[in-house]
Amino acid sequence: MHKNISALGAGVTRGILAAQRLILPQTLVAQASGQTSRAMHYAHPAGAISNLKMIWANWCYDSSGAELATGNSITIKASVEYPAGVFRQVLFGGSASGTLANGGLIASDPASITIPAGAQFWVRTYMLPNADPNTNVPICTLPATATVLATTDGNANGTDSTMSGVIGQSSTVNCIRPTAIIGDVAAKGAKAFVLAGDSICFGEGDV
């Protein structure tokens, strides 16, 4: 985007997509959950972002174009990490955890954090363990591993690392991450766009 986009003028654009690197789940994986994923994002370039509501899906959008439900409910915990190593817990109706109904979506409460325009931040999502190891979970698939993409996406298996701990770059393309991050942008007339496509559209290899 244009370097002087912040010169659009004072004001606030409310309730738009406030960050990028958001992905719809593309596959279902039968596994016992209990994984924390650290997803890297950049704040909207037009102005500082605030009142962030993160949305997760309990379904996937597969290669045939169909929305496939997991067949079970899923419970998650989450946090916003900004700056690196500083955590703000995400709440769901005032609770530290939220449950996604089969085939549904869940939106967090607005997070009480402000992130500067264009700043890098992370959302950590912990999927709580299920007694049944065959539980389907919705997985987002990056176009390559974090090391290849030169990003800081990562996973920590078997532990709740939403509020502490270091999560290194992932050696797998699979991750759990928000489908959308909606918030207010401190700029008048800020714009947001959704692009649907393949790895070329995603900008594979170009963060």
Side-chain angles (χ1 to χ4, degrees):
M1 293 186 179
H2 195 280
K3 291 182 180 179
N4 294 324
I5 193 168
S6 59
L8 288 171
V12 177
T13 305
R14 301 189 185 278
I16 66 170
L17 287 172
Q20 47 80 289
R21 299 195 77 242
L22 302 162
I23 309 174
L24 290 171
Q26 298 110 312
T27 188
L28 303 180
V29 176
Q31 66 179 32
S33 54
Q35 170 180 307
T36 303
S37 287
R38 182 181 191 241
M40 187 186 87
H41 303 281
Y42 286 96
H44 200 291
I49 62 175
S50 59
N51 293 319
L52 304 182
K53 295 177 69 174
M54 283 137 282
I55 299 172
W56 288 263
N58 192 14
W59 45 267
C60 80
Y61 188 74
D62 75 355
S63 58
S64 70
E67 293 181 10
L68 302 178
T70 60
N72 45 257
S73 62
I74 294 172
T75 301
I76 63 170
K77 297 174 68 178
S79 66
V80 178
E81 182 183 352
Y82 176 81
V86 178
F87 306 96
R88 185 68 55 91
Q89 189 168 50
V90 171
L91 299 178
F92 302 88
S95 174
S97 63
T99 299
L100 290 78
N102 175 37
L105 298 167
I106 193 170
S108 72
D109 300 344
S112 57
I113 188 171
T114 299
I115 300 174
Q120 184 180 120
F121 69 100
W122 299 264
V123 174
R124 293 192 178 199
T125 304
Y126 175 59
M127 193 167 288
L128 274 67
N130 288 286
D132 182 359
N134 296 313
T135 298
N136 279 328
V137 297
I139 294 296
C140 298
T141 306
L142 297 173
T145 65
T147 50
V148 170
L149 294 174
T151 66
T152 49
D153 302 286
N155 297 309
N157 293 323
T159 182
D160 177 3
S161 300
T162 53
M163 295 299 292
S164 64
V166 175
I167 299 179
Q169 286 179 304
S170 175
S171 59
T172 174
V173 297
N174 291 340
C175 59
I176 303 163
R177 62 199 298 136
T179 292
I181 299 176
I182 296 172
D184 300 339
V185 179
K188 182 180 179 180
K191 304 296 183 184
F193 303 90
V194 175
L195 305 176
D198 57 13
S199 59
I200 297 173
C201 175
F202 187 87
E204 181 173 351
D206 184 0
V207 176

Short mmCIF file of all heavy atoms in Angstrom, two decimals, residues 21-50:
data_model
loop_
_atom_site.label_atom_id
_atom_site.label_comp_id
_atom_site.label_asym_id
_atom_site.label_seq_id
_atom_site.Cartn_x
_atom_site.Cartn_y
_atom_site.Cartn_z
N ARG A 21 -2.93 -11.75 6.81
CA ARG A 21 -2.49 -13.14 7.02
C ARG A 21 -3.56 -13.94 7.76
O ARG A 21 -3.28 -14.65 8.72
CB ARG A 21 -1.14 -13.23 7.72
CG ARG A 21 0.00 -12.57 6.96
CD ARG A 21 1.37 -12.96 7.48
NE ARG A 21 1.73 -14.30 7.02
CZ ARG A 21 1.95 -15.32 7.83
NH1 ARG A 21 1.80 -15.21 9.13
NH2 ARG A 21 2.29 -16.49 7.33
N LEU A 22 -4.79 -13.80 7.32
CA LEU A 22 -5.92 -14.55 7.86
C LEU A 22 -6.29 -15.63 6.87
O LEU A 22 -6.30 -15.40 5.66
CB LEU A 22 -7.10 -13.61 8.12
CG LEU A 22 -6.77 -12.47 9.08
CD1 LEU A 22 -7.79 -11.34 8.95
CD2 LEU A 22 -6.71 -12.97 10.52
N ILE A 23 -6.58 -16.83 7.36
CA ILE A 23 -6.79 -17.98 6.48
C ILE A 23 -8.02 -18.75 6.93
O ILE A 23 -8.23 -18.97 8.12
CB ILE A 23 -5.57 -18.93 6.51
CG1 ILE A 23 -4.26 -18.17 6.27
CG2 ILE A 23 -5.73 -20.04 5.48
CD1 ILE A 23 -3.03 -19.04 6.43
N LEU A 24 -8.83 -19.18 5.96
CA LEU A 24 -9.91 -20.12 6.25
C LEU A 24 -9.30 -21.51 6.46
O LEU A 24 -8.36 -21.89 5.75
CB LEU A 24 -10.91 -20.19 5.10
CG LEU A 24 -11.80 -18.97 4.87
CD1 LEU A 24 -12.55 -19.14 3.55
CD2 LEU A 24 -12.77 -18.79 6.01
N PRO A 25 -9.82 -22.31 7.39
CA PRO A 25 -9.37 -23.69 7.49
C PRO A 25 -9.61 -24.43 6.18
O PRO A 25 -10.67 -24.26 5.56
CB PRO A 25 -10.23 -24.27 8.63
CG PRO A 25 -10.65 -23.09 9.42
CD PRO A 25 -10.83 -21.98 8.42
N GLN A 26 -8.62 -25.22 5.75
CA GLN A 26 -8.75 -25.92 4.47
C GLN A 26 -8.87 -27.42 4.60
O GLN A 26 -9.09 -28.11 3.61
CB GLN A 26 -7.53 -25.61 3.59
CG GLN A 26 -7.36 -24.15 3.23
CD GLN A 26 -6.16 -23.55 3.94
OE1 GLN A 26 -6.00 -23.72 5.14
NE2 GLN A 26 -5.32 -22.86 3.20
N THR A 27 -8.71 -27.95 5.79
CA THR A 27 -8.79 -29.41 5.94
C THR A 27 -9.20 -29.75 7.36
O THR A 27 -9.08 -28.93 8.27
CB THR A 27 -7.42 -30.06 5.60
OG1 THR A 27 -7.56 -31.47 5.57
CG2 THR A 27 -6.37 -29.69 6.62
N LEU A 28 -9.69 -30.98 7.52
CA LEU A 28 -10.01 -31.51 8.84
C LEU A 28 -9.02 -32.61 9.16
O LEU A 28 -8.71 -33.45 8.32
CB LEU A 28 -11.44 -32.07 8.87
CG LEU A 28 -12.57 -31.11 8.50
CD1 LEU A 28 -13.92 -31.82 8.59
CD2 LEU A 28 -12.57 -29.88 9.38
N VAL A 29 -8.51 -32.61 10.37
CA VAL A 29 -7.55 -33.62 10.80
C VAL A 29 -8.10 -34.32 12.02
O VAL A 29 -8.51 -33.66 12.99
CB VAL A 29 -6.18 -32.98 11.11
CG1 VAL A 29 -5.22 -34.03 11.65
CG2 VAL A 29 -5.60 -32.33 9.86
N ALA A 30 -8.13 -35.64 11.99
CA ALA A 30 -8.59 -36.42 13.13
C ALA A 30 -7.43 -36.59 14.10
O ALA A 30 -6.46 -37.29 13.81
CB ALA A 30 -9.11 -37.77 12.68
N GLN A 31 -7.53 -35.91 15.24
CA GLN A 31 -6.45 -36.00 16.22
C GLN A 31 -6.96 -35.52 17.57
O GLN A 31 -7.94 -34.79 17.65
CB GLN A 31 -5.26 -35.13 15.80
CG GLN A 31 -5.58 -33.64 15.79
CD GLN A 31 -4.39 -32.79 15.40
OE1 GLN A 31 -3.55 -33.19 14.62
NE2 GLN A 31 -4.31 -31.60 15.95
N ALA A 32 -6.29 -35.94 18.60
CA ALA A 32 -6.55 -35.36 19.91
C ALA A 32 -5.95 -33.97 19.91
O ALA A 32 -4.81 -33.79 19.53
CB ALA A 32 -5.92 -36.22 21.00
N SER A 33 -6.74 -32.98 20.29
CA SER A 33 -6.21 -31.62 20.30
C SER A 33 -5.36 -31.42 21.54
O SER A 33 -5.13 -32.33 22.31
CB SER A 33 -7.36 -30.62 20.22
OG SER A 33 -8.30 -30.86 21.23
N GLY A 34 -4.91 -30.23 21.76
CA GLY A 34 -3.99 -29.93 22.82
C GLY A 34 -2.76 -29.27 22.24
O GLY A 34 -1.64 -29.58 22.58
N GLN A 35 -2.99 -28.32 21.31
CA GLN A 35 -1.91 -27.67 20.58
C GLN A 35 -2.10 -26.17 20.64
O GLN A 35 -3.21 -25.66 20.52
CB GLN A 35 -1.91 -28.12 19.12
CG GLN A 35 -0.98 -27.32 18.21
CD GLN A 35 -1.02 -27.81 16.78
OE1 GLN A 35 -0.83 -28.99 16.50
NE2 GLN A 35 -1.26 -26.90 15.86
N THR A 36 -1.00 -25.44 20.83
CA THR A 36 -1.02 -23.99 20.73
C THR A 36 -0.33 -23.58 19.44
O THR A 36 0.80 -24.00 19.18
CB THR A 36 -0.30 -23.32 21.91
OG1 THR A 36 -0.88 -23.75 23.14
CG2 THR A 36 -0.42 -21.80 21.82
N SER A 37 -1.01 -22.78 18.64
CA SER A 37 -0.40 -22.23 17.43
C SER A 37 -0.18 -20.72 17.62
O SER A 37 -1.00 -20.03 18.22
CB SER A 37 -1.29 -22.45 16.21
OG SER A 37 -1.29 -23.80 15.81
N ARG A 38 0.95 -20.25 17.11
CA ARG A 38 1.29 -18.82 17.16
C ARG A 38 1.25 -18.30 15.73
O ARG A 38 2.08 -18.67 14.89
CB ARG A 38 2.68 -18.63 17.76
CG ARG A 38 3.15 -17.19 17.91
CD ARG A 38 4.55 -17.18 18.49
NE ARG A 38 4.99 -15.86 18.91
CZ ARG A 38 6.06 -15.23 18.41
NH1 ARG A 38 6.78 -15.81 17.46
NH2 ARG A 38 6.40 -14.04 18.88
N ALA A 39 0.25 -17.47 15.43
CA ALA A 39 0.05 -16.97 14.07
C ALA A 39 0.52 -15.53 13.97
O ALA A 39 0.14 -14.67 14.76
CB ALA A 39 -1.43 -17.06 13.68
N MET A 40 1.37 -15.26 12.99
CA MET A 40 1.92 -13.92 12.77
C MET A 40 0.98 -13.08 11.92
O MET A 40 0.45 -13.55 10.91
CB MET A 40 3.28 -14.04 12.08
CG MET A 40 4.03 -12.73 11.95
SD MET A 40 5.55 -12.93 10.97
CE MET A 40 4.89 -12.70 9.31
N HIS A 41 0.77 -11.83 12.34
CA HIS A 41 -0.08 -10.90 11.59
C HIS A 41 0.58 -9.53 11.54
O HIS A 41 1.48 -9.24 12.34
CB HIS A 41 -1.45 -10.77 12.25
CG HIS A 41 -2.19 -12.06 12.41
ND1 HIS A 41 -2.86 -12.67 11.38
CD2 HIS A 41 -2.34 -12.86 13.49
CE1 HIS A 41 -3.41 -13.80 11.81
NE2 HIS A 41 -3.10 -13.94 13.09
N TYR A 42 0.11 -8.69 10.63
CA TYR A 42 0.50 -7.29 10.59
C TYR A 42 -0.75 -6.43 10.73
O TYR A 42 -1.78 -6.70 10.11
CB TYR A 42 1.20 -6.94 9.28
CG TYR A 42 2.61 -7.49 9.18
CD1 TYR A 42 2.86 -8.70 8.53
CD2 TYR A 42 3.68 -6.81 9.74
CE1 TYR A 42 4.15 -9.20 8.44
CE2 TYR A 42 4.97 -7.31 9.65
CZ TYR A 42 5.20 -8.50 8.99
OH TYR A 42 6.47 -9.01 8.91
N ALA A 43 -0.65 -5.39 11.55
CA ALA A 43 -1.78 -4.48 11.74
C ALA A 43 -2.02 -3.67 10.47
O ALA A 43 -1.12 -3.46 9.65
CB ALA A 43 -1.50 -3.54 12.91
N HIS A 44 -3.24 -3.19 10.32
CA HIS A 44 -3.62 -2.35 9.18
C HIS A 44 -2.64 -1.18 9.04
O HIS A 44 -2.28 -0.56 10.03
CB HIS A 44 -5.05 -1.83 9.40
CG HIS A 44 -5.72 -1.37 8.16
ND1 HIS A 44 -5.33 -0.24 7.47
CD2 HIS A 44 -6.79 -1.87 7.48
CE1 HIS A 44 -6.13 -0.06 6.42
NE2 HIS A 44 -7.02 -1.05 6.41
N PRO A 45 -2.20 -0.86 7.82
CA PRO A 45 -1.19 0.19 7.65
C PRO A 45 -1.72 1.61 7.78
O PRO A 45 -0.93 2.55 7.90
CB PRO A 45 -0.68 -0.06 6.23
CG PRO A 45 -1.85 -0.67 5.51
CD PRO A 45 -2.52 -1.55 6.55
N ALA A 46 -3.04 1.80 7.78
CA ALA A 46 -3.58 3.16 7.77
C ALA A 46 -3.57 3.83 9.14
O ALA A 46 -3.55 5.06 9.23
CB ALA A 46 -5.01 3.14 7.22
N GLY A 47 -3.61 3.04 10.21
CA GLY A 47 -3.66 3.62 11.54
C GLY A 47 -3.63 2.54 12.59
O GLY A 47 -3.79 1.35 12.29
N ALA A 48 -3.44 2.94 13.82
CA ALA A 48 -3.41 1.99 14.93
C ALA A 48 -4.74 1.23 15.01
O ALA A 48 -5.80 1.78 14.71
CB ALA A 48 -3.15 2.73 16.24
N ILE A 49 -4.67 -0.04 15.42
CA ILE A 49 -5.87 -0.85 15.49
C ILE A 49 -6.22 -1.12 16.96
O ILE A 49 -5.35 -1.23 17.81
CB ILE A 49 -5.72 -2.17 14.71
CG1 ILE A 49 -4.58 -3.04 15.28
CG2 ILE A 49 -5.46 -1.88 13.23
CD1 ILE A 49 -4.46 -4.41 14.62
N SER A 50 -7.52 -1.23 17.23
CA SER A 50 -7.99 -1.46 18.60
C SER A 50 -9.33 -2.16 18.56
O SER A 50 -9.91 -2.38 17.49
CB SER A 50 -8.10 -0.12 19.35
OG SER A 50 -9.01 0.75 18.68
#
